[in-house]
Structure formats: C-alpha cells, structure tokens
Amino acid sequence: MFSGWSWVAHGLYLLLNICFLEVSGGLVQSCGHIIPESPVLALGSNFTALCILNESCLDFGNIYANQIIWKIKNRVVPKEQYREINRTVSSVTFNDTSLLATPLTCNILADGQIEQNIYGITVTVGLPPEKPKNLSCIVHQESKLTYPMTCTWNPGRHTFLDTHFRLKYRWPQENFPDCIPKDVNNSCTITDVQFFVNLEVWVEAANALGKAESDPLVLDPIEIVKPLSPHNLSVNSGILPTVLKLSWENRISAAVMKLKFNIRYRIIGDTNWMQVPPEDTASPRTSFSVQGLRPYTEYVFSIRCMKEDGVGYWSNWSEEKTGVTTEDRPSKGPPIWRIIDASHSPASWTVHLMWKALEPFEANGVILQYEVTVRAKSSLSSPPEKYNVNTTNLTLKLPNATYEVTVIAHNRVGASPPSVLLIPASNSKAPVKNVRTLPKDGKLWVGWTAPNSYVLKYVIEWCLVSNSSDCIIEWQNEPGNLQGTYLKGDIKPFKCYLITVYPLYADGQGSGQSVKAYLQQDRPSKGPTVQTKKVGKAEAVLTWNHLTVDEQNGFIRSYTIFYKTIDGNETAVTVDPSKTEYTLSSLTSDTLYTVRMMAYTDEGGRSGPDFTFTTQKFGKGEIEAIVVPVCLAFLLIVLLGVLFCFNKRDLIKKHIWPIVPDPSKSNIAQWSPQVPAKHNFSSKDQMYPEGSFTDVSVVEIEADDKKSFSEQDLKPFDLLKKEKSTSEGHSSGIGGSSCMSSPRQSVSDSDEGETTQNTSSTVQYSTVVLNGYRDQTPVQVFSRSESTQPLLDSEERSEDHAGGSDSTTQRQQYFKQNGGQDETNTDRPCFERTKQIIPANEGDLVGFAQLQISGQSSQPLGLGLEKNTQEAALSDVLQTNTEGQTVRPETVEGNPLSVDEMPKSYLPQTVRQGGYMPQ
Amino acid sequence: MAAPDSPSAALRHRDLCSRGIRLAGKMRSDVVDLLDTYVERQGLDASASVAAMEGVPAAAAERWDEQTGTQRLLENLAAYRTFRALLAQMLEEQREQLGEADAALGQALAAVLLQVSAFAYHLEELLQLESRGPPSEEGAGPPPAPHLSLFERKLRGLGVLRELAQWAVRSARDLRQLAKPGPGSPAPSLAESP
C-alpha cells in the first residue's frame, strides 16, 4: 500500500519538475538530447547515436542512463544495441543505416513503468553523388550573334538526397559563373560562348554526403556549332530547260565559320529526294545552279550547312522552295496503234488511229496539237494527207491498201520526232507463238516466242472481257528485242482479259495471237443452275447454262454434279467444263432426287441452287407394253363376240325380236269347231315345232284408248300383278294365269268375253299394261286383238254373253305370250310350274317391257334402256300378287279338273273377280 | 623571332596562331557590328571623326614589317590589355547610363570584351611558347579616366571601338606573320584569313 502511494507521488513530482523546467527556462527544455542532431547518413553505413541526460533530471527525477529506451518510429530498438557509457549517457549503434527509420527517439522509463520521451532526431539516409559521366556540349546558333551552348551529362544513380549539379567552365586565365540547371539535373545551357578560345567544361554534383566532379571537357565552342540553316532560299529557272539556280543567305558570319552545303531536290509529288553531289557544294557560297533536271518539271529544293571542315553539326534543312524548269521539245513521238474495222465493206476500211499522250518527261511541255500524216504506200505519186488534231485518236475511211501513218506532237518549243506506223493491206507476216501469261507481283506478265524474222516492235492489245460492257481495247508498245512484258494498266483481279500480241516488222505486220488470262482467280461468284431436261425411270438428263464471264472469276476447270435421294448419300460426278448436259443413270425409279452443281476454278468452287426431280415409276414403253396387248385382247374378244353373234343371229333374233305370229296366217282356220280344244293344243306343237314364235308381238295402241279405261277397269291389273308376284313373277303370261283361274273367274271371263265380243267378231287375246313409263302414272290398258282368228269354244260362249255390252269401238292391239309354253305348263301343277318358269321368264319380261313402251309411245324402244324400270315394275306386280296367291292353291286344288275342262282361252288370265269388265 | 622547339610546341604555336587569326577576324566583325549599334544607341553620327585620344592604343605602326614576332606579340598584348580595361569601363558606364534597358548593347559590349580577353590569352600563350613569359599587367591599365562629359564619354567609346577594329586587322596580320614558317620549323599551312 505504501509502495503504491510512493509511485504516484514520485510520478507527480516528476511531471511537476518537467513543467517547472519548461516554464522557468522560457523554452522547451527536456531532460536530455541526442548527438548527432538530425544526421544525414550514407546508406549502408553504421551509425551510433548518444542520448545525454541533463544533470538536473538526475537530481530531481532519479533518471539514469540505464533507464533509456531507444525507439525507431515507435519501435523499440533491441537492448543489445544499447550501451551505457556513464550514468547520463546511453548510446545505440546500427550496423546498417538502411534499417533506420525516422524519428529516432530517446525515451526513459521512469520508475520502471512510465515511459517518457526525452528527445528525438530525424535521420536522413542517402547516397553521395556519383561522378557525372558522358558530358557533351553543342552550340545551337540562335541568331547571327547568339550562340548558346548546351551541355548534357549522365547524373548517375539516385542519391535520395537533395543533390545539386553545376556546370562549370572557364578559360585558362578566366573563370566564368557556373551554369546551374533549372528543373533538371542532367543539362544546362550557357547563354553565350566565345569561339576560338579553348573552354574547359566540367560538371560538379554535390549533396550532404559529398561532392563529385566529371571529367573536364576542353573544347573550342566553334567546333560544336550547329548553325542555323540558310534562309531566304529562292529558285530561278535558268536559260537552259534543265537548270534551276538556287540562291540563299547564310546566317552565320564568314568571320565565325566557313560553311559547306548540302542541296537536295525532288520532283513535286515524288517522295524521293535527290541530292547535289556534296563535293560540288563543299565551299562557302550563297548560290548554286542545279543541272540535269527535266524540262517543264516542278522541283522542290532544300539546303543545309555546316562548318566547312566538317567539325560540328549539320544545320537543319531549310524551308522548301519550288521551281519549274522551262519547256523543251518533246523528246519522242507518241506511241501509235490502230484498230481496223473492215466489216462494212471488204474494199474499204474504217481505221481508228490512236496514240498515247506523252508522259510529262517526254512531252517536256504542254502538247498543243498532234500532226497526223497518212501516206498510201501503193500510190507514191499521191500527196500524203495531213490532219492536225488535239485529241489522241483519229478515225479515217480508207480504201484497202498499205499505209504509212506518222504522228508528231507539238508543244510551244517545237515538234517531237515522228512516230511511224505501217498499216499493211494484210497481216501476212509471221505471228508470234506460244503467247502465255503469268501473274507476278500484282501485275500481269505476258510472254511470247518471237518469230524468226527481225521484229521492229510488238504491240500488245488487251481488253477486259465482260458481259456488261464492250471490250475496250488498251494497248502498249514494246521493243522488238523483248519477249515478254508487264501489262501497263489497271489490271483488276478476278477479271478476264483477252490479250493479243502483234509483231510489227519494217515491211509489214503479223497477225495477232490471243490468250485469255486472269491476274488473280477466285471462286465463281455463283454456281450453275441445273435442271432436268428429261426424267426417266432410272436416268435423268440434266442441263445447265455456262456461267457468264462476270460470274466465273477464273477459268472454269470442271463441273461437279452432286445428287442424292432424301435419305441417301450424296453422289458426285465430275463433268467436263465444256459440257452443258449430262445424263444421270442408275437412278432408282419413282424416287425424289436433289441435285446441285458446282463450278470449280483453280481457287475453288461454288454450288448452284438445289433442284429436285422425281424419277418415273415406269420406264419408257412399259405402259405401252401393258396397254396395247390388253386393248388388242379386248378387241379380239369383241370381234369374236361379233362373229359369234353374227353366226347366231337367227337365234338371237328369235330371242330378242320374236316373230309375231300373224293370225291371218294362222292355221287355226283348219281347226274344226267340233274338235275338242285339247286336240288343238296338242297340235300347236306341231304348228311351231321349232318354237319359232317370237315371244313378243308389238301391237299399236292408240293413245286415246288409255282413256277409255276407267280406274275400275284397271284395278284387276293390280290384282294381276299380285298374282304374278305370288307365282314369283316372271309370269309366263296368260297361260300361267289361266292355270290359276278359278271356275268362277272363268265364268267372269266369259262374261267379259261376251262384252267384248259385242261389237264385232274380233277377239281379244290379251292385253296387259302394267306400268307407266318412268315416273308417269301407270296406265293399264287392255288391248284387244282384232284378229280374225276364230275364238276358242269358251270364248265363243263368252262372246255370246257379252255381245252387246261392249260399247268400245276403239281398236286395240295386244301382244300374245308364247302359247306353247303355256300349254306345256298347263300339264303341271301350278306351284311347280311357278318355280320352273323362272329361267324362261326373261323373255316374258321382255314382252312386258315391249308392251309397256308401246303403251306409252307407240314406238318400240331398245331393250336395255327400260329393263330395269320394267323389272322394278314387275317386281311390284309380283309382290302384290303374293297375297292373292295364298288363297289360290285351295282353289286350284279344289278344282283340279276344271283346268282341263275349261275351254282354252287367251283372255286375260289375271282377271279375277271384279277384274276386266266390259266398258 | 624564336621558333618553338618541339613538334608539339610547333603544333600548339600553329593552332594558337590559327585560332588567333580567326578570333581577330570575328572580333573585327563583331566590333564593326557593335559600332553600328553603338552609334545608333548613343545617338552619334557614324561619320563623325574622332581625334586620337589619350590612353587608347593606336593600331598604326611605323616599320611594321620590320618588327620581330615577340615585339609584335608584346605590342598586341599591351594594346589588348588596354582595350580590355577600356571596354570594361565602357560597359560599366553603359550600365550606369542605360541600366538594363539596352541589354543588347551591353551584351554586345560584353561579348567583345570577352573576345579581347580571349585574344590577350592567345597572345600570352604565344609569348610563353616563345620562352618568354608575358609581362605583368602592372601599368598596363588605362590611365585614370579624366572627368568627361557624357557626350565626351560617348565619343571616347566610339573612338575606342574604331581603334579596336583597326587593331583586330593588324593583329590578324601580325599573327599571320608569326605563323609563317621560320627556318628549321615545320611549315604550317595557314591559308585562313578573316
């Protein structure tokens, strides 16, 4: 407890003591200080600092050197580096100053607990300056009297310290003020120097750690002058067209420096400078005449200078000045060529003369006009014709002959040498051979093999081949000793050029040899459009058009046809480029194919659009091979049928067109009235032994007769229909009905017969009209026979009963069923016969049909047309009769003998009770 | 005239003569330019004649061609030392009179002064090569300047410059004479002349 209070009291005392010292001293005072004060240290050296405590602090605060703590930037220095020299002095040692930081403080631990700062110093670490190296100086002339000298040097490594450089210079007997660099440490400019006296120059570098001097440089400043370039340069054309005179002013006194010069010049627009030989301008001067220039050419000049002996520096090039040389005569005649158009008339030509404008270096001025002279070689007596033109072409109409054409160019100074072109009547001389081309260095080279004869010169013609423009001919001349040249023109890549080489001889001209060429090829811009010309079962003929020249972009080397099915692999076929048609074979029939075509140049190919086609299912002739035999077979069958029918026509006629028995010719007259009917029946077979009765007889019925029947009269027909239906239709006609007639009915029939026989002796055989035509209301008509054939016994009796009741005076016609069959059927039971009658019924039906038609139109119609309708009608009839038929067997069975006993009659058998009634 | 003995001394002699001649030529050129500037700036008449003034060495010499080399060098050195003092005095007066307003004239005067000093250095070097050290400068300075009016000072300055121009011509000739090959000495080719 006591110890704690003691510490506090001691601390307070120490603080008060320090405050007292500060106040009493009037200045900041501390209990010690460090030696050295803010040192500058060499990097890497060792360093020792001392902290010295004031005696006053020892007395009042019990502070001693062994309590000192050294710190570098708040970091305690290890105690191993401390050394207590005495009770008031402590030292610290650093073996390497690069480990130092600032500040370095001396602190004390009062009573071993409270740390107090006694003093601190700032430590600066750096390097001494290096010796400046590579000192060099140059005197830049700034004006006629001002020659500042600028010296530069290498300042050496960075020192981390404030280092001052000074450029020092002196004469042996006189010193000058130092030149101190501004803002830099490696150069300085002395404003004015004096020539012809050696000047000693050196650089001094100094900082807190030392000083260093460069090696001295001893020089006469006149030897390091870079003079100002000559000025006021002027260019004047001289008397000669190849000379220009330059004049200028030097800006350095000859007393100071004698100069030599460089003169350079170039044609305006050109970038390459030419130079006057230096030895021609190696002496002091202010003018020079440049020779060997081109006439009428604008030149650009520039000049520079330096000390005559070559010691020092060249000045900058002066400003550029231009000058134009004067004109001179054209140095050569214009190259000339011609195009001959002999298409209008073989006897005369249209000659297009054309010549090239001279190059500027050949024209030597402004070409004012061209003088063209045309002289016919054949007629020497005729004077040559002269033309003065301003353009570079001339078109003449000349008779077919040999001409010599001369062209002379004129400028202001004079005329050019003449250019001569011989135009022979025919190109009969030897042509060149083996014309070939080769793209090279972006240009197109044309080569040829020279003819054996001496060639004066060659003319190479060329033009761009295009679909969109005409072939505009360009040309150039080449000397006769050449066998190849580059085309001089704008040769474009991917374009086709037609190149022709003509050899020109002294006495004639050879025909041109042509070749097509490309400067550079590319893939075609599009592929051929392929389509089918003909498609077969297993082959297809493809056609296409050649690509146009503009689309080719090169020489078409081949075509390739690719074809495939929907799901098959693609097949490629290579085709010669000259072809425009190709036949694909071995195709699958009835298959969809896709085909496309590629055109290839040396650079690659391009595909055209796809085209699809389908192969045919049948090959050529296959259908014909099937159809023709079938047709032939059909025809043969028809023919055989016709023949058969022809042969059997009688039989057919019998069935289709039965002969209606003529009652007038009937042999019934031979019948004896006393002869029982059954004998007559048996005799019928003898009368028509061959069954030659026609089944149907057409009887005309007047239309008005229809009206003569009332509906009541027609009702029995419905019954008749039913009756026939019950017997399964196909009624055998009247005979069948009679079989089913009851005795009562027979009596009724007899009554009717009496009625109908009332007016005359004509006998009604049978009349049945069942149905109307098509949709017309069926009209049932009874037709009456007017036959004179004697009636059967029963009929005769009936006639007696019905004699006066039949008031009908109309003539009626009817047709009669085959009576023979009726007779046959009568021997059988009615039911049996009904069944058996089916096959034979068709003829009966036909008979019905005929009857019906005749009832409607009174005209016989074709069988086939009405057959269906008739069958339907008949079907109704048969169906209706079914009901009536159901009771019929009893009747029949109940009176089985009545049939035989009944007199044979051809009255309508369908009439039953309430049936046919006399009207 | 005593010729330099060693080849290196001969080369040095030739070099000093050569550059001395060119320096004299440049000095004359600069002095002529300075005269124009001086007349213009001081408001003097370029055609004004100035009588010989006391303390200004005269370039004219009797029996010039009979002088020895050393004699020529000594006369030149004495003259240029005097001119150096005169020009320094003129520069001081010019600065006092015009201050920094006419820096061009001051710079030109300073440049000529430097060239005079340089030429004097050349002469001293040549005299050393002649195995004769240069005389001391005691008594070689200009006489104490009399109290002159401003215009008189201007005229005096004009006279100094004109005489300096004359001396430049003479010095070039003297050095050319010195550069001529003596018996037994290497023949330097000094074709240059200002």
Side-chain angles (χ1 to χ4, degrees):
Chain A
M1 185 68 185
F2 175 78
S3 176
W5 281 110
S6 172
W7 274 108
V8 172
H10 185 76
L12 288 173
Y13 168 77
L14 185 59
L15 286 172
L16 288 172
N17 188 29
I18 291 172
C19 293
F20 171 77
L21 283 173
E22 289 176 355
V23 173
S24 63
L27 294 171
V28 175
Q29 292 186 5
S30 63
C31 284
H33 62 281
I34 296 174
I35 296 175
E37 175 74 32
S38 298
V40 178
L41 306 174
L43 200 62
S45 64
N46 55 18
F47 170 66
T48 299
L50 302 174
C51 185
I52 303 169
L53 299 175
N54 293 338
E55 291 289 340
S56 57
C57 290
L58 297 179
D59 297 337
F60 296 101
N62 293 325
I63 299 170
Y64 299 101
N66 61 353
Q67 295 173 292
I68 288 175
I69 297 171
W70 290 92
K71 279 189 168 182
I72 301 173
K73 204 176 182 179
N74 298 326
R75 180 168 54 85
V76 176
V77 178
K79 299 240 177 182
E80 293 77 18
Q81 295 176 233
Y82 301 172
R83 192 164 74 89
E84 183 183 353
I85 295 173
N86 56 37
R87 69 189 195 104
T88 61
V89 177
S90 173
S91 73
V92 65
T93 300
F94 299 93
N95 291 327
D96 188 353
T97 51
S98 62
L99 301 175
L100 273 173
T102 194
L104 174 64
T105 56
C106 172
N107 308 277
I108 195 161
L109 203 60
D111 291 334
Q113 289 184 348
I114 301 174
E115 185 178 303
Q116 294 291 329
N117 176 253
I118 300 297
Y119 203 77
I121 60 172
T122 299
V123 179
T124 305
V125 179
L127 294 168
E130 279 189 319
K131 177 183 175 182
K133 295 184 283 285
N134 301 331
L135 175 64
S136 64
C137 299
I138 182 172
V139 175
H140 290 279
Q141 184 190 7
E142 289 187 349
S143 69
K144 192 171 183 179
L145 296 174
T146 309
Y147 298 91
M149 183 175 76
T150 301
C151 294
T152 58
W153 60 89
N154 180 358
R157 69 188 177 191
H158 182 50
T159 62
F160 308 102
L161 300 174
D162 186 17
T163 303
H164 300 280
F165 291 84
R166 289 171 176 270
L167 179 66
K168 292 177 167 291
Y169 61 106
R170 71 181 179 192
W171 282 344
Q173 83 288 9
E174 187 164 352
N175 291 319
F176 298 102
D178 296 340
C179 178
I180 299 174
K182 292 179 180 175
D183 304 327
V184 294
N185 63 357
N186 64 342
S187 72
C188 194
T189 299
I190 301 169
T191 54
D192 199 7
V193 292
Q194 297 302 316
F195 298 133
F196 312 118
V197 183
N198 282 341
L199 190 66
E200 185 181 5
V201 183
W202 71 99
V203 178
E204 181 185 277
N207 65 15
L209 293 176
K211 183 188 293 186
E213 288 185 352
S214 70
D215 292 332
L217 190 66
V218 179
L219 50 86
D220 184 346
I222 197 68
E223 296 171 348
I224 53 170
V225 172
K226 181 181 181 180
L228 285 172
S229 59
H231 69 149
N232 293 336
L233 179 64
S234 64
V235 184
N236 300 301
S237 55
I239 299 172
L240 295 173
T242 58
V243 174
L244 285 173
K245 184 180 179 183
L246 307 183
S247 301
W248 64 88
E249 293 178 17
N250 296 319
R251 286 188 279 185
I252 190 166
S253 167
V256 176
M257 186 188 289
K258 291 183 179 178
L259 298 172
K260 66 176 182 179
F261 303 89
N262 278 165
I263 297 173
R264 65 178 182 178
Y265 61 98
R266 60 180 169 88
I267 296 173
I268 196 162
D270 198 351
T271 55
N272 297 322
W273 289 96
M274 294 166 283
Q275 191 163 341
V276 173
E279 55 270 24
D280 292 352
T281 55
S283 58
R285 63 182 64 237
T286 56
S287 66
F288 187 80
S289 290
V290 183
Q291 304 174 23
L293 303 177
R294 289 179 185 169
Y296 198 62
T297 305
E298 188 172 12
Y299 285 90
V300 180
F301 292 92
S302 181
I303 187 171
R304 68 177 180 177
C305 63
M306 76 173 298
K307 195 162 176 278
E308 186 183 24
D309 57 6
V311 177
Y313 301 92
W314 281 104
S315 71
N316 294 326
W317 287 102
S318 70
E319 75 276 14
E320 296 178 355
K321 288 288 182 178
T322 60
V324 184
T325 51
T326 55
E327 287 191 50
D328 196 4
R329 292 193 318 165
S331 59
K332 60 177 284 191
I336 181 172
W337 185 234
R338 86 294 174 276
I339 297 174
I340 297 173
D341 183 4
S343 60
H344 299 296
S345 165
S348 68
W349 290 338
T350 300
V351 179
H352 302 279
L353 294 174
M354 48 193 182
W355 54 92
K356 290 183 182 294
L358 291 169
E359 296 291 333
F361 63 89
E362 298 168 334
N364 293 338
V366 179
I367 299 300
L368 301 175
Q369 67 174 15
Y370 297 96
E371 179 184 321
V372 182
T373 305
V374 180
R375 178 186 289 113
K377 295 282 280 185
S378 54
S379 59
L380 296 175
S381 58
S382 62
E385 295 186 25
K386 289 192 175 182
Y387 307 89
N388 290 324
V389 293
N390 295 323
T391 58
T392 57
N393 56 70
L394 177 65
T395 300
L396 299 172
K397 285 190 177 297
L398 300 172
N400 188 344
T402 299
Y403 296 93
E404 184 182 83
V405 179
T406 304
V407 177
I408 297 172
H410 290 268
N411 65 9
R412 275 193 287 267
V413 177
S416 71
S419 293
V420 180
L421 175 68
L422 184 70
I423 303 178
S426 63
N427 295 342
S428 56
K429 300 292 183 181
V432 297
K433 301 170 190 168
N434 190 23
V435 178
R436 58 204 180 276
T437 61
L438 183 68
K440 198 174 179 183
D441 302 330
K443 294 186 286 186
L444 196 56
W445 181 86
V446 182
W448 59 86
T449 302
N452 294 327
S453 311
Y454 171 73
V455 177
L456 208 58
K457 62 182 177 181
Y458 294 98
V459 173
I460 295 98
E461 266 186 12
W462 74 90
C463 70
L464 193 153
V465 183
S466 173
N467 302 104
S468 57
S469 62
D470 294 333
C471 192
I472 299 171
I473 289 177
E474 296 181 69
W475 56 279
Q476 68 187 60
N477 281 346
E478 294 298 335
N481 58 344
L482 293 186
Q483 295 194 32
T485 185
Y486 288 101
L487 294 186
K488 298 166 187 166
D490 182 20
I491 306 296
K492 298 171 183 171
F494 319 132
K495 299 291 183 185
C496 182
Y497 286 89
L498 179 65
I499 302 164
T500 308
V501 180
Y502 295 90
L504 303 188
Y505 300 91
D507 55 349
Q509 177 180 312
S511 59
Q513 297 296 305
S514 298
V515 68
K516 283 186 176 179
Y518 285 86
L519 174 63
Q520 186 182 346
Q521 296 191 49
D522 195 6
R523 294 193 306 159
S525 55
K526 60 178 284 190
T529 301
V530 66
Q531 56 188 356
T532 53
K533 180 181 178 183
K534 186 178 175 185
V535 178
K537 180 181 178 184
E539 70 283 331
V541 180
L542 305 178
T543 61
W544 61 90
N545 292 323
H546 286 306
L547 295 177
T548 64
V549 176
D550 294 334
E551 294 167 345
Q552 289 180 4
N553 293 339
F555 293 112
I556 300 297
R557 301 301 186 192
S558 66
Y559 292 122
T560 300
I561 299 171
F562 298 92
Y563 63 98
K564 63 175 182 179
T565 58
I566 292 293
D567 51 353
N569 292 328
E570 194 168 58
T571 307
V573 180
T574 301
V575 182
D576 188 87
S578 62
K579 298 280 197 313
T580 58
E581 186 174 309
Y582 185 81
T583 301
L584 296 179
S585 57
S586 302
L587 302 179
T588 309
S589 64
D590 195 22
T591 303
L592 181 68
Y593 278 90
T594 300
V595 62
R596 64 189 172 91
M597 195 163 179
M598 286 187 79
Y600 287 91
T601 65
D602 293 336
E603 297 299 318
R606 196 178 291 278
S607 179
D610 285 350
F611 181 82
T612 56
F613 65 90
T614 306
T615 50
Q616 294 184 353
K617 193 168 185 177
F618 299 101
K620 180 182 178 183
E622 282 187 4
I623 294 177
E624 289 83 347
I626 295 171
V627 171
V628 170
V630 169
C631 291
L632 289 176
F634 179 76
L635 286 175
L636 187 61
I637 292 169
V638 169
L639 187 60
L640 291 174
V642 169
L643 288 175
F644 176 78
C645 292
F646 183 76
N647 288 334
K648 301 292 183 182
R649 63 183 182 277
D650 294 337
L651 183 63
I652 293 170
K653 185 178 178 183
K654 172 189 162 190
H655 285 284
I656 295 178
W657 196 258
I659 297 171
V660 176
D662 187 356
S664 62
K665 296 177 181 179
S666 173
N667 54 2
I668 199 166
Q670 299 171 2
W671 295 350
S672 171
Q674 289 79 24
V675 176
K678 61 181 179 182
H679 298 294
N680 289 337
F681 279 111
S682 61
S683 66
K684 270 190 180 177
D685 289 336
Q686 295 171 355
M687 286 173 63
Y688 307 103
E690 298 175 0
S692 60
F693 282 112
T694 54
D695 292 332
V696 176
S697 296
V698 175
V699 181
E700 287 185 1
I701 303 172
E702 289 184 6
D704 293 339
D705 294 345
K706 298 173 186 174
K707 299 175 182 176
S708 61
F709 297 99
S710 64
E711 289 183 6
Q712 290 180 341
D713 294 332
L714 294 176
K715 281 180 181 175
F717 278 107
D718 293 332
L719 297 174
L720 174 64
K721 289 174 191 173
K722 292 174 183 175
E723 211 169 54
K724 285 184 177 286
S725 228
T726 306
S727 59
E728 301 213 301
H730 324 294
S731 75
S732 56
I734 299 163
S737 297
S738 61
C739 172
M740 291 180 285
S741 297
S742 63
R744 187 171 169 264
Q745 285 171 327
S746 298
V747 172
S748 175
D749 286 345
S750 299
D751 295 341
E752 289 173 0
E754 290 173 3
T755 307
T756 53
Q757 294 291 331
N758 193 18
T759 54
S760 66
S761 60
T762 56
V763 178
Q764 291 180 347
Y765 279 89
S766 175
T767 300
V768 179
V769 177
L770 297 177
N771 208 344
Y773 177 67
R774 293 182 183 272
D775 298 330
Q776 296 176 14
T777 305
V779 177
Q780 298 168 337
V781 175
F782 287 98
S783 296
R784 299 188 177 189
S785 173
E786 293 182 351
S787 173
T788 56
Q789 185 177 357
L791 293 173
L792 301 178
D793 295 340
S794 59
E795 287 175 332
E796 287 173 357
R797 286 194 302 267
S798 299
E799 191 180 61
D800 294 336
H801 293 292
S805 62
D806 188 2
S807 62
T808 302
T809 57
Q810 294 172 345
R811 288 177 50 205
Q812 294 181 358
Q813 295 180 346
Y814 71 99
F815 73 87
K816 179 180 180 285
Q817 295 293 338
N818 189 350
Q821 192 166 353
D822 289 346
E823 289 177 359
T824 307
N825 290 338
T826 52
D827 296 336
R828 299 181 179 179
C830 289
F831 278 108
E832 283 183 355
R833 194 179 63 89
T834 304
K835 291 176 183 176
Q836 293 170 353
I837 203 169
I838 292 171
N841 236 354
E842 289 184 359
D844 302 335
L845 291 175
V846 170
F848 272 110
Q850 291 286 357
L851 178 62
Q852 183 184 25
I853 291 164
S854 64
Q856 292 294 325
S857 61
S858 303
Q859 294 291 332
L861 295 176
L863 172 64
L865 288 174
E866 298 295 332
K867 185 173 182 179
N868 290 337
T869 308
Q870 291 156 5
E871 285 178 353
L874 182 61
S875 158
D876 291 342
V877 172
L878 297 176
Q879 193 68 30
T880 308
N881 283 341
T882 306
E883 297 175 359
Q885 194 69 18
T886 53
V887 295
R888 196 68 52 85
E890 297 174 358
T891 308
V892 172
E893 290 173 358
N895 301 294
L897 297 177
S898 63
V899 175
D900 294 333
E901 293 173 1
M902 285 175 62
K904 299 299 179 183
S905 173
Y906 283 95
L907 284 173
Q909 300 301 309
T910 58
V911 177
R912 296 186 302 177
Q913 191 174 11
Y916 175 71
M917 295 296 292
Q919 295 178 16
Chain B
M1 178 183 117
D5 298 331
S6 65
S8 62
L11 276 174
R12 174 75 177 149
H13 182 267
R14 191 180 66 179
D15 178 58
L16 283 171
C17 288
S18 170
R19 289 200 285 157
I21 293 167
R22 295 170 65 185
L23 178 56
K26 181 175 187 301
M27 188 163 56
R28 183 180 181 277
S29 173
D30 288 353
V31 170
V32 169
D33 291 341
L34 178 59
L35 271 172
D36 294 340
T37 307
Y38 187 83
V39 168
E40 180 190 346
R41 297 299 170 91
Q42 299 292 358
L44 299 174
D45 184 0
S47 61
S49 65
V50 180
M53 289 175 292
E54 188 184 355
V56 178
E62 293 179 359
R63 297 183 181 180
W64 174 82
D65 53 350
E66 294 178 0
Q67 288 182 335
T68 63
T70 305
Q71 193 176 358
R72 292 173 193 274
L73 289 174
L74 288 172
E75 284 192 10
N76 273 272
L77 181 58
Y80 282 98
R81 281 178 173 173
T82 303
F83 277 118
R84 187 166 62 191
L86 289 170
L87 287 172
Q89 190 176 349
M90 285 174 62
L91 186 61
E92 186 65 25
E93 289 173 358
Q94 191 267 340
R95 282 175 181 164
E96 287 178 359
Q97 178 191 343
L98 299 175
E100 298 297 327
D102 199 344
L105 183 59
Q107 286 179 358
L109 270 173
V112 169
L113 175 57
L114 275 176
Q115 290 175 61
V116 168
S117 298
F119 197 78
Y121 164 69
H122 273 286
L123 295 172
E124 289 170 358
E125 288 289 300
L126 282 168
L127 280 170
Q128 283 184 344
L129 283 176
E130 298 273 341
S131 302
R132 179 193 172 91
S136 67
E137 294 194 34
E138 292 178 2
H147 295 285
L148 298 175
S149 66
L150 179 60
F151 181 73
E152 288 171 333
R153 287 203 296 270
K154 289 181 180 179
L155 277 183
R156 181 184 170 86
L158 182 62
V160 168
L161 293 177
R162 282 181 175 173
E163 205 59 38
L164 178 59
Q166 293 296 324
W167 265 106
V169 175
R170 177 183 166 177
S171 299
R173 289 182 178 175
D174 286 335
L175 290 179
R176 215 169 267 120
Q177 283 294 112
L178 283 170
K180 283 182 180 176
S185 64
S189 58
L190 295 171
E192 296 189 51
S193 63

